[in-house]
């Protein structure tokens, strides 16, 4: 799994160029866009048995941080059943962390969603709408780790 940074020119009305991390997953690439309330991971290429381990590991890193994730698969060209199972496992792992994990489906995912309607994934029509939904959640802007003063017993992590 290789990482590179890509700097794109500033958008109109903005003075600063944006830098994105791009993670190479041997046939798929994940472009990481960090936002205040979540990370948007835009995937393109193909996910199958040859690269599903790299794909899953790259996304799982965000679960370890406890940050909400929007997985944008609208640019994904191919996803086989192995990749879909990995997606369901990632969703289950995120549910355990209590961090939102939303998926923007694309053409590669639609046939699998029709074949397996009880998938449980939280689907959104676009990354922007997923971000809106996350920002409306009561815990969206919570710190990943904060300290609470205990009743005279010192500091307690929550």
């Amino acid at each position: 799994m290789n990482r590179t940074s890509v700097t794109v020119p500033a958008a109109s009305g903005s003075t600063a160029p944006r830098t994105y991390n791009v993670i190479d997953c041997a046939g798929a690439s994940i472009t990481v866009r960090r936002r205040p309330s979540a990370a948007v991971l835009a995937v393109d290429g193909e996910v199958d048995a040859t690269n599903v381990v790299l794909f899953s590991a790259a996304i799982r890193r965000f679960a370890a941080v406890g940050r909400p994730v929007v997985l944008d698969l609208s640019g994904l060209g191919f996803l086989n059943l192995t990749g879909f199972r990995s997606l369901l496992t990632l969703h289950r792992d995120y549910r355990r962390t209590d961090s939102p994990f939303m998926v923007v489906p694309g053409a590669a995912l639609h046939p699998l969603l029709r074949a397996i309607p009880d998938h449980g994934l939280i689907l959104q029509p676009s990354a922007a709408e997923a971000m809106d939904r996350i920002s409306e959640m009561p815990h969206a802007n919570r710190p990943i780790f904060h300290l609470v003063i205990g009743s005279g017993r010192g500091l307690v992590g929550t």
Side-chain angles (χ1 to χ4, degrees), residues 116-156:
I116 307 169
D118 301 3
H119 50 74
L121 297 171
I122 302 171
L123 302 175
Q124 294 295 311
S126 70
E129 290 181 63
M131 292 298 297
D132 288 344
R133 184 160 177 210
I134 288 171
S135 67
E136 294 168 356
M137 293 178 168
H139 64 284
N141 296 313
R142 71 174 183 222
I144 293 170
F145 181 83
H146 64 277
L147 296 174
V148 176
I149 304 288
S151 58
R153 296 186 186 142
L155 299 176
V156 179

Side-chain angles (χ1 to χ4, degrees), residues 19-33:
T19 301
Y20 301 109
N21 289 325
V22 178
I23 303 169
D24 177 15
C25 296
S29 64
I30 302 172
T31 302
V32 180
R33 296 177 179 95

Side-chain angles (χ1 to χ4, degrees), residues 18 20 31-42 62-63 65-72 94 99-104 124 126-137 139-142 144:
R18 292 183 178 238
Y20 301 109
T31 302
V32 180
R33 296 177 179 95
R34 289 181 174 83
R35 301 291 188 247
S37 59
V40 177
L41 309 178
F62 290 88
V65 176
R67 183 167 182 131
V69 165
V70 174
L71 186 62
D72 185 351
Y94 266 85
S99 290
F101 180 77
M102 297 189 184
V103 177
V104 178
Q124 294 295 311
S126 70
E129 290 181 63
M131 292 298 297
D132 288 344
R133 184 160 177 210
I134 288 171
S135 67
E136 294 168 356
M137 293 178 168
H139 64 284
N141 296 313
R142 71 174 183 222
I144 293 170

Side-chain angles (χ1 to χ4, degrees), residues 14-98:
S14 174
T15 57
R18 292 183 178 238
T19 301
Y20 301 109
N21 289 325
V22 178
I23 303 169
D24 177 15
C25 296
S29 64
I30 302 172
T31 302
V32 180
R33 296 177 179 95
R34 289 181 174 83
R35 301 291 188 247
S37 59
V40 177
L41 309 178
V43 183
D44 63 22
E46 298 182 351
V47 176
D48 57 25
T50 64
N51 63 354
V52 71
V53 172
L54 290 172
F55 171 77
S56 297
I59 295 168
R60 191 165 277 116
R61 287 181 176 179
F62 290 88
V65 176
R67 183 167 182 131
V69 165
V70 174
L71 186 62
D72 185 351
L73 302 178
S74 62
L76 189 64
F78 178 77
L79 180 73
N80 73 355
L81 191 55
T82 303
F84 186 69
R85 273 196 300 254
S86 172
L87 186 59
L88 296 177
T89 300
L90 288 165
H91 172 69
R92 185 192 68 225
D93 293 349
Y94 266 85
R95 285 184 47 199
R96 289 182 185 148
T97 68
D98 197 31

